[in-house]
Each structure stands twice: as structure tokens, then as C-alpha cells.
Amino acid sequence: MPKVFVHTHDMGKANWENQYFDFGRIPVEGDFFALSSDSPWYQVELIVHTPFKEDLAAEIYGVKVEHEKVKRTKLSMPAKFEF
């Protein structure tokens, strides 16, 4: 599994958090990811591939997104369900 250095932040803020994770594949720009089952969602803004480092495949930069808003947009769901 590729080791990835993950940099995350809130939209419009420079409150970076930096952690290492093993990914099944290196995310691509635009992908969404979560770092645990209860973490916020992030969208990949930038990928830097690092083939020159033996123990690190890439660095990714992600911005926090509102997962419910993303799901509504991507899944064409109304803001409220009515039965």
C-alpha cells in the first residue's frame, strides 16, 4: 500500500494538519476521502508524486467539505426527503 503524506485544512484557512496514511491507491485531484469512519470528508486539491523517496509515494493536499452537501449534489438528492 502506498504511503501518502496527507495535508488537510478548512476552506479559506491555513490551519494545516499533516499526517501519514497508507492508501490502497494514490488519490487523484477531485477525489473525496475520509481519514477515519467518523472524520470529516476532504477533497483532493493537489497531488505531488514523490518517486524519489523510497518510503513515500505522494503528498496530497485536501480541503474539508460538507459531506452531506457533496452527497446531495453528486447523488441528485433533495435537501429534505418528503414521504
Side-chain angles (χ1 to χ4, degrees), residues 12-53:
K13 295 184 180 177
N15 58 340
W16 295 98
E17 291 189 29
N18 308 297
Q19 299 172 291
Y20 290 93
F21 290 92
D22 293 322
F23 279 76
R25 69 168 176 81
I26 298 172
V28 297
E29 191 172 322
D31 274 354
F32 295 95
F33 65 93
L35 300 173
S36 70
S37 61
D38 61 347
S39 86
W41 284 16
Y42 299 91
Q43 185 170 24
V44 177
E45 300 176 290
L46 174 69
I47 304 109
V48 179
H49 296 272
T50 55
F52 50 87
K53 292 188 175 185

Side-chain angles (χ1 to χ4, degrees), residues 1-2 8 12 16 18 20-21 23 25-28 37 41 54-56 60 62 64 66-68 71-73 83:
M1 295 180 92
T8 57
W16 295 98
N18 308 297
Y20 290 93
F21 290 92
F23 279 76
R25 69 168 176 81
I26 298 172
V28 297
S37 61
W41 284 16
E54 289 181 28
D55 61 340
L56 186 65
I60 62 171
K64 189 190 306 185
E66 296 178 38
H67 74 276
E68 288 300 328
K71 287 186 341 188
R72 277 196 308 272
T73 301
F83 296 98

